[in-house]
């Protein structure tokens, strides 16, 4: 959008936030205002290009950036600071006036202007502790273990190498590799994550590691001497300013600056603050040079490369330094061509790279908090409403292949490349800020949904340092089978690894919010087992959650209070929108508090005592939710939720559910009784020194190698439910043997389907589907053999010295003479503990061709699943 000569700046750009909404649309390939330089699109494609061998070289590793002919000093007002950035060619008085008017348009309200309404305050992570052994505590501890595994010398290797310091050891790989342009970004995330994890745990070893990283980066910055700090040469910014392709250097600078700022604000490291101030001043000079040498349009054009949350971190810095240079620089990273679309409330975000632009909106939110300009509150509100109404999956996540697509056309986007983890991390910040401003329950509900389904889903159980980039939503896909699959501890370091380690370091940061006033108030908006030391009120608040199962009718929360003072305080409890008024209740010291209204707060003001105990009861039900697609042909696509939990159906591709003609969900989705876990079994054999498991997959019975890790598809296929033919007999098999019993054998992931004596699968449970579990033919007291119920003397058999994939056959004693015990050996299995258990929250959904086992999406690892179902009659 270059400006012709002689056109006044303000005339062309003074209302840029409005005029930018008219930016031309070029279809799904991208817009004129985007982050895509020619040939450069998603992070995934850029990483693939840089991680393959290529002859291209990059600038030398010891450059120190531009040397400016003079030093800029802070001037008395933000306007005079802005005027010092006026392009050198703008000499006439009217042009100077235009330049000043442009800034007043950009700036909006005066810095420090009073906002309407109180903003809720965060409670310190130092004062929140997650309950030992809880789901969130395990996720936090898995992340802590990973942060402690990472080696400081390897993390900072490229920083040292860049400035010519001795670099012991070897660098990490993946996106932190020494030849990858984005190198250093993860180190910034590491600084943020460790600051917050240390606040959450006060782990001394972690504090030593993070302080060592800060000290090393300080040495690197001091060696350069200009304030520049990065793992790549400053010439990368020459490329940015010349509008030449380079992989998002400002994105990485944002991570480093934010990490240092968090080390100061959360961990109290004052050295880190000095470092980030010096960095900000260096980049202020760079941006000033671009504007003075060329124009502000050239600077804004350079923002078409991803810049992360540069505006956000600079607004945060300004609140600490009160340096107007930092406020001005923050304004200059408010991407006007994107924020302008939101300012005029145009849902025209399709075609934009999602995680380039969500952080820009977070920065706009910080602009509102700093300046009080209501426009930026409106921008953030409209953006959140737009995402929620048109671009969000049932999980709370957004983006397909890292981009937004056409509004309310999500059905055709379902694939392995949905919901980039970074976008969920950043959308949680958007909703968190909006809740702090408005106390609207919808934002807290969104936070709960995205945290459970979008954040908890990205760890592979308790495997430290194993996370995903994308969260597949298409039928028959797995977190393990996508473009990226599961990452590795030391050779991935994707953008989503950075946001991942941050997410699991701050799980306690949005449970409680304080409200200032004559009477201290606390908003409890997430029900996560934890304890808060609420210093302002002299109270310790502990909340516990009763373990939830699919048979429960209520989510039950209990809160206990410990008081050290006698002052009055107010507690506000979120009543989730997903619950119902019918059956919802609360008691204080066993006294009923009356009816509760979903989507509101229960507020209690009193002088709290250490004996006070509050109980909350929220009805929790199954429900379906249509995909956000307004085309009639996709009206049948539904996700299934249990309260805030998205339930995924185990499936390798089928997604056709059968609701019948009933509008009652319980008619086609039923609870998995807890006793079913006692009926689960895995059958094993040893061949060639390896342990094999009986497996049912794709309609065939075979022997497969026993998986070495939990959560695999093989574990699913090697687990069977053995139960009597009378389905009303819910026998508890714990501590008992199946020997001598006649059983139906049901594959774990195909509830209601049994293996027949013909080795086929059937939903019909007749006599030809029964197997007699008899003592093993090999005489081993611990083994069993599986005799066909309708053919006594005939057994399931394998082979001798067989490989993986050996097909199961039927052999009969009467037709096959045993030679050296071969038949007896091939027909004998060990009945072992199951490789898989039903999750406590498990359901069975009727299907057109087969039934589906439903489990929480967050709990799945390598299993194949579907998030959406085509629900028909």
């Amino acid at each position: 959008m270059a400006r012709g000569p002689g056109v006044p700046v303000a005339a062309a750009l003074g209302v840029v936030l409005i005029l930018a909404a008219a930016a031309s649309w070029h279809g799904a390939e991208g817009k004129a205002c985007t982050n895509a330089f020619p040939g450069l699109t998603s992070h995934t494609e850029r990483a693939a290009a840089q991680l393959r061998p290529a002859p291209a070289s990059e600038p030398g590793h010891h450059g120190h950036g531009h040397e400016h002919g003079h030093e800029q000093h802070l001037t008395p007002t933000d306007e005079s600071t802005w005027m010092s950035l006026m392009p050198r060619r703008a000499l006439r008085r009217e042009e100077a006036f235009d330049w000043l008017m442009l800034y007043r348009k950009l700036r909006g309200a005066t810095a420090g202007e009073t906002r309407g309404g109180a903003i809720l305050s965060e409670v310190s992570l130092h004062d929140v502790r997650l309950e030992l052994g809880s789901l969130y505590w395990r996720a936090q501890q898995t992340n802590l273990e990973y942060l402690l595994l990472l080696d400081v010398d390897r993390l900072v290797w490229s920083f040292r190498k860049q400035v010519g310091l001795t670099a012991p050891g070897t660098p990490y790989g993946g996106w932190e590799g020494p030849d990858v342009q984005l190198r250093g970004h993860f180190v910034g995330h590491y600084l943020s994550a460790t600051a917050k994890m240390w606040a959450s745990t006060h782990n001394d070893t972690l504090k030593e590691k993070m302080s060592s990283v800060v000290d090393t980066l300080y040495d690197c910055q001091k060696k350069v001497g200009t304030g520049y700090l990065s793992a790549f040469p400053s010439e990368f910014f020459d490329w940015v300013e010349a509008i030449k392709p380079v992989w998002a250097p400002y994105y990485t600078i944002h991570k480093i600056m934010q990490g240092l700022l968090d080390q100061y604000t959360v961990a109290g490291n004052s050295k880190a603050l000095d470092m980030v101030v010096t960095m900000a001043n260096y980049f202020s000079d760079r941006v000033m040079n671009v504007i003075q040498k060329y124009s502000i349009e050239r600077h804004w054009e350079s923002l078409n490369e991803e810049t992360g949350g540069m505006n956000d971190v600079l607004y945060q810095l300004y609140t600490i330094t009160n340096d107007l240079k930092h406020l001005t620089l923050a304004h200059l990273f408010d991407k006007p061509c994107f924020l302008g679309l939101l300012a005029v409330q145009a849902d025209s975000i399709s075609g934009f790279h999602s995680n380039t632009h969500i952080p820009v909106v977070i920065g706009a939110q910080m602009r509102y908090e700093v300046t009080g300009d209501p426009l930026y509150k409106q921008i953030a509100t409209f953006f959140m409403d737009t995402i929620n109404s048109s671009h969000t999956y049932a999980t709370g996540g957004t983006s397909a292949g890292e981009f937004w697509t056409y509004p309310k056309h999500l059905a055709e986007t379902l694939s392995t490349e949905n919901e980039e983890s970074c976008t969920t991390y950043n959308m949680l910040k958007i909703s968190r800020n909006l809740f702090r401003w408005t106390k609207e329950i919808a934002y807290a509900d969104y936070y709960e949904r995205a945290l459970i389904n979008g954040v908890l889903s990205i760890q592979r159980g308790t495997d430290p340092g194993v996370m995903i980039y994308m969260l597949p939503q298409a039928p028959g896909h797995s977190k393990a089978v996508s473009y990226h699959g599961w990452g590795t501890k030391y050779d991935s370091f994707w953008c989503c690894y950075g946001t991942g380690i941050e997410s699991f370091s701050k799980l306690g940061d949005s449970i409680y919010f304080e409200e200032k006033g004559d009477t201290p108030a606390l908003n409890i908006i997430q029900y996560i087992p934890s304890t808060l030391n609420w210093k302002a009120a002299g109270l310790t608040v502990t909340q516990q959650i009763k373990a939830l199962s699919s048979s429960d009718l209520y989510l039950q929360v209990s809160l206990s209070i410990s008081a050290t003072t006698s002052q009055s305080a107010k507690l506000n409890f979120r009543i989730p929108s997903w619950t119902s008024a019918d059956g919802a209740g609360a008691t204080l010291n066993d006294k009923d508090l009356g009816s509760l209204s979903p989507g509101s707060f229960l507020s209690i003001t009193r002088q709290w005592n250490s004996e006070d105990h509050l109980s909350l009861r929220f009805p929790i039900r199954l429900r379906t939710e249509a995909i956000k697609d307004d085309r009639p042909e996709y009206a049948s696509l539904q996700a299934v939720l249990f309260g805030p939990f998205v339930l995924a159906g185990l499936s390798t591709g089928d997604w056709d559910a059968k609701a019948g003609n009933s509008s009652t969900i319980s008619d086609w989705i039923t609870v998995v009784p807890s006793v079913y876990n006692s009926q689960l079994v895995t059958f094993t054999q040893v061949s060639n020194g390896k342990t094999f498991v009986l497996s049912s997959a794709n309609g065939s019975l075979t022997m497969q190698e026993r998986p070495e890790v939990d959560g695999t598809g093989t574990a699913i296929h090697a687990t069977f439910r053995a139960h009597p033919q009378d389905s009303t007999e819910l026998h508890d098999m714990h501590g008992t043997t199946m020997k001598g019993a006649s059983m139906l054998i049901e594959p774990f992931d195909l509830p209601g389907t049994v293996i027949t004596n013909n080795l086929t699968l059937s939903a019909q449970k007749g006599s030809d589907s029964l197997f007699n579990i008899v003592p093993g033919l090999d005489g081993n007291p611990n083994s069993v053999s599986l005799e066909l119920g309708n053919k006594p003397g005939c057994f399931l058999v394998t082979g001798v010295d067989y490989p993986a994939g050996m097909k199961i056959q039927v052999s009969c004693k009467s037709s096959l003479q045993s030679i050296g015990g071969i038949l007896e050996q091939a027909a004998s299995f060990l009945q072992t503990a199951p490789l898989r258990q039903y999750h406590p929250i498990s359901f069975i959904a009727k299907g057109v061709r087969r039934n589906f086992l439903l489990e929480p999406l967050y709990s799945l690892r390598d299993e194949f699943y579907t998030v959406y179902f085509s629900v028909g009659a």
Side-chain angles (χ1 to χ4, degrees):
M1 295 183 290
R3 181 173 55 88
V7 179
V9 176
L13 296 167
V15 290
V16 67
L17 285 179
I18 304 301
L19 296 181
S24 57
W25 162 243
H26 298 296
E29 294 301 314
K31 299 192 178 181
C33 171
T34 181
N35 70 305
F37 282 88
L40 297 178
T41 51
S42 69
H43 275 321
T44 297
E45 292 170 335
R46 298 194 202 194
Q50 292 197 15
L51 291 173
R52 71 171 69 99
S57 61
E58 66 181 36
H61 283 225
H62 301 283
H64 300 324
H66 291 300
E67 297 298 331
H68 300 297
H70 58 280
E71 195 71 31
Q72 288 294 308
H73 299 285
L74 178 66
T75 44
T77 69
D78 56 339
E79 289 188 352
S80 56
T81 302
W82 171 263
M83 292 304 293
S84 72
L85 301 180
M86 188 171 66
R88 297 186 183 101
R89 58 177 173 74
L91 300 177
R92 298 196 306 273
R93 177 177 298 179
E94 60 270 24
E95 288 188 306
F97 178 76
D98 286 340
W99 186 251
L100 177 60
M101 290 302 100
L102 169 59
Y103 179 60
R104 289 178 177 172
K105 290 284 188 179
L106 286 171
R107 185 191 59 192
T110 303
E113 179 179 313
T114 303
R115 291 168 297 274
I119 290 182
L120 299 182
S121 301
E122 303 175 359
V123 301
S124 171
L125 281 170
H126 293 277
D127 297 329
V128 180
R129 290 295 178 266
L130 303 181
E131 182 183 276
L132 187 72
S134 66
L135 170 66
Y136 291 90
W137 179 86
R138 288 196 300 271
Q140 181 191 73
Q141 293 299 303
T142 299
N143 193 49
L144 173 60
E145 186 177 345
Y146 179 48
L147 295 177
L148 292 172
L149 285 174
L150 294 171
D151 179 74
V152 170
D153 285 334
R154 298 191 71 184
L155 283 169
V156 300
W157 191 94
S158 289
F159 285 86
R160 285 171 166 157
K161 193 74 172 177
Q162 166 62 32
V163 301
L165 294 176
T166 301
T170 58
Y172 282 125
W175 288 16
E176 282 296 310
D179 297 320
V180 176
Q181 290 179 345
L182 209 68
R183 60 187 180 272
H185 78 104
F186 182 83
V187 176
H189 284 295
Y190 180 85
L191 290 173
S192 290
T194 51
K196 294 170 184 178
M197 182 64 84
W198 177 71
S200 299
T201 64
H202 284 189
N203 182 283
D204 291 336
T205 303
L206 188 67
K207 186 174 185 180
E208 291 175 8
K209 291 175 81 79
M210 71 189 192
S211 298
S212 180
V213 172
V214 173
D215 290 343
T216 301
L217 297 187
Y218 174 82
D219 292 339
C220 293
Q221 189 182 48
K222 187 176 180 180
K223 179 73 167 16
V224 174
T226 64
Y228 182 75
L229 174 63
S230 184
F232 51 73
S234 59
E235 281 85 352
F236 279 18
F237 291 96
D238 296 344
W239 298 4
V240 169
E241 293 157 6
I243 319 301
K244 293 181 179 179
V246 62
W247 191 3
Y250 270 123
Y251 172 93
T252 297
I253 293 300
H254 163 245
K255 308 308 172 227
I256 297 169
M257 291 180 69
Q258 186 66 64
L260 290 170
L261 197 61
D262 289 336
Q263 284 289 320
Y264 169 70
T265 59
V266 180
N269 191 328
S270 58
K271 180 187 289 186
L273 176 62
D274 294 339
M275 293 167 67
V276 74
V277 167
T278 306
M279 289 182 73
N281 293 340
Y282 170 85
F283 285 105
S284 178
D285 289 347
R286 285 206 74 121
V287 172
M288 172 205 67
N289 187 66
V290 171
I291 295 173
Q292 290 183 334
K293 185 177 179 181
Y294 301 103
S295 66
I296 195 170
E297 296 98 317
R298 169 62 73 89
H299 166 67
W300 277 335
E301 189 176 358
S302 74
L303 299 190
N304 282 338
E305 178 53 80
E306 188 167 3
T307 60
M310 282 295 293
N311 56 348
D312 180 30
V313 72
L314 287 163
Y315 284 123
Q316 293 175 53
L317 183 62
Y318 170 72
T319 65
I320 297 169
T321 66
N322 289 317
D323 188 333
L324 293 167
K325 182 189 291 186
H326 301 152
L327 180 64
T328 300
L329 188 60
H331 289 343
L332 287 168
F333 278 95
D334 287 330
K335 190 172 183 178
C337 62
F338 183 71
L339 295 180
L341 292 173
L342 304 178
V344 297
Q345 302 197 358
D347 182 358
S348 189
I349 67 173
S350 51
F352 281 104
H353 184 259
S354 305
N355 204 53
T356 293
H357 295 92
I358 303 173
V360 175
V361 179
I362 297 170
Q365 289 184 305
M366 194 63 195
R367 179 169 179 161
Y368 166 66
E369 295 203 14
V370 169
T371 70
D373 188 339
L375 172 63
Y376 293 88
K377 180 181 181 181
Q378 295 165 14
I379 282 173
T381 303
F382 175 75
F383 176 74
M384 188 73 194
D385 291 347
T386 297
I387 295 296
N388 260 339
S389 65
S390 305
H391 300 276
T392 304
Y393 300 105
T395 56
T398 188
S399 81
E402 300 190 18
F403 288 81
W404 287 305
T405 57
Y406 294 97
K408 296 183 180 177
H409 277 208
L410 291 189
E412 60 198 15
T413 71
L414 299 179
S415 71
T416 60
E417 306 306 300
N418 298 123
E419 191 172 343
E420 182 186 357
S421 299
C422 290
T423 63
T424 305
Y425 162 87
N426 281 312
M427 287 303 301
L428 285 171
K429 288 186 176 183
I430 299 277
S431 64
R432 184 178 189 266
N433 288 335
L434 287 169
F435 175 79
R436 288 175 48 243
W437 301 347
T438 66
K439 292 181 64 175
E440 290 185 18
I441 295 293
Y443 299 128
D445 287 340
Y446 172 88
Y447 196 99
E448 177 184 50
R449 180 190 292 224
L451 181 65
I452 290 172
N453 304 296
V455 173
L456 295 184
S457 286
I458 73 172
Q459 277 184 332
R460 193 186 184 282
T462 55
D463 296 343
V466 182
M467 293 177 283
I468 52 173
Y469 193 121
M470 299 286 191
L471 183 58
Q473 310 271 325
H477 289 284
S478 163
K479 298 174 187 178
V481 183
S482 63
Y483 181 89
H484 297 90
W486 292 111
T488 61
K489 291 180 178 69
Y490 309 124
D491 290 297
S492 295
F493 298 110
W494 310 316
C495 53
C496 296
Y497 257 56
T499 53
I501 62 172
E502 285 195 50
S503 290
F504 292 108
S505 294
K506 61 184 186 72
L507 291 171
D509 80 340
S510 297
I511 306 173
Y512 309 97
F513 289 97
E514 287 187 278
E515 195 168 350
K516 306 300 183 183
D518 294 336
T519 300
L522 184 71
N523 294 272
I524 301 173
I525 70 162
Q526 300 300 331
Y527 295 109
I528 294 175
S530 57
T531 297
L532 168 68
N533 179 10
W534 187 18
K535 295 175 180 176
L539 300 177
T540 298
V541 180
T542 300
Q543 62 163 308
Q544 295 177 307
I545 315 298
K546 180 179 180 293
L548 189 66
S549 72
S550 48
S551 60
D552 287 328
L553 300 178
Y554 303 96
L555 175 69
Q556 298 184 58
V557 183
S558 63
L559 295 105
S560 57
I561 305 295
S562 175
T564 59
T565 66
S566 58
Q567 69 171 314
S568 178
K570 182 178 183 180
L571 296 183
N572 298 319
F573 302 92
R574 175 179 68 105
I575 313 303
S577 299
W578 49 257
T579 192
S580 63
D582 184 15
T587 61
L588 177 60
N589 301 329
D590 299 323
K591 180 181 179 181
D592 184 69
L593 297 179
S595 61
L596 303 180
S597 177
S600 67
F601 281 103
L602 167 66
S603 296
I604 306 173
T605 302
R606 63 184 270 120
Q607 185 173 307
W608 296 89
N609 300 306
S610 292
E611 297 77 22
D612 287 337
H613 180 85
L614 181 79
S615 296
L616 300 170
R617 185 180 68 250
F618 302 133
I620 187 166
R621 302 285 189 270
L622 286 166
R623 69 184 190 281
T624 59
E625 184 176 288
I627 194 169
K628 289 183 172 58
D629 200 304
D630 56 10
R631 294 168 292 180
E633 60 266 35
Y634 297 113
S636 66
L637 295 187
Q638 307 273 330
V640 179
L641 293 95
F642 183 58
F645 300 95
V646 171
L647 302 178
L650 298 185
S651 170
T652 56
D654 193 349
W655 66 344
D656 291 325
K658 186 177 181 181
N661 295 317
S662 174
S663 59
T664 305
I665 197 168
S666 59
D667 288 345
W668 63 281
I669 301 181
T670 55
V671 169
V672 172
S674 59
V675 71
Y676 276 17
N677 268 321
S678 72
Q679 301 173 348
L680 297 177
V681 64
T682 292
F683 298 103
T684 69
Q685 264 189 7
V686 176
S687 178
N688 285 325
K690 296 180 179 179
T691 300
F692 291 84
V693 291
L694 179 65
S695 172
S696 173
N698 300 319
S700 297
L701 281 178
T702 60
M703 298 301 292
Q704 301 293 339
E705 283 193 45
R706 192 184 194 281
E708 296 181 0
V709 296
D710 296 331
T712 63
T714 302
I716 290 284
H717 299 143
T719 301
F720 300 89
R721 177 179 167 237
H723 58 94
Q725 185 174 15
D726 185 352
S727 61
T728 63
E729 298 178 29
L730 298 180
H731 294 281
D732 188 330
M733 304 297 293
H734 280 306
T736 64
T737 177
M738 296 181 182
K739 288 180 183 179
S742 184
M743 297 282 187
L744 297 171
I745 298 179
E746 179 181 293
F748 181 84
D749 60 335
L750 295 173
T753 299
V754 295
I755 300 169
T756 71
N757 289 180
N758 295 323
L759 306 190
T760 59
L761 297 175
S762 175
Q764 305 301 316
K765 303 178 180 69
S767 59
D768 64 344
S769 299
L770 289 170
F771 288 85
N772 301 318
I773 314 296
V774 301
L777 298 186
D778 62 357
N780 185 332
N782 296 318
S783 68
V784 297
S785 293
L786 304 179
E787 181 183 43
L788 274 60
N790 64 354
K791 291 183 180 179
C794 296
F795 300 87
L796 299 189
V797 300
T798 57
V800 178
D801 297 334
Y802 55 81
M806 174 73 184
K807 286 191 173 183
I808 298 297
Q809 298 178 353
V810 173
S811 291
C812 304
K813 280 185 174 181
S814 59
S815 61
L816 180 65
Q817 185 176 2
S818 176
I819 301 175
I822 292 177
L823 170 63
E824 287 79 1
Q825 179 183 342
S828 299
F829 301 86
L830 289 180
Q831 174 190 319
T832 67
L835 293 184
R836 188 62 150 73
Q837 293 270 326
Y838 293 108
H839 191 276
I841 301 174
S842 293
F843 296 87
I844 296 171
K846 292 181 181 178
V848 174
R849 288 169 291 276
R850 41 73 61 95
N851 295 337
F852 299 92
L853 177 63
L854 307 182
E855 296 186 323
L857 176 62
Y858 79 80
S859 70
L860 300 183
R861 286 168 281 184
D862 299 352
E863 302 92 337
F864 288 80
Y865 62 83
T866 182
V867 170
Y868 287 94
F869 295 88
S870 179
V871 180

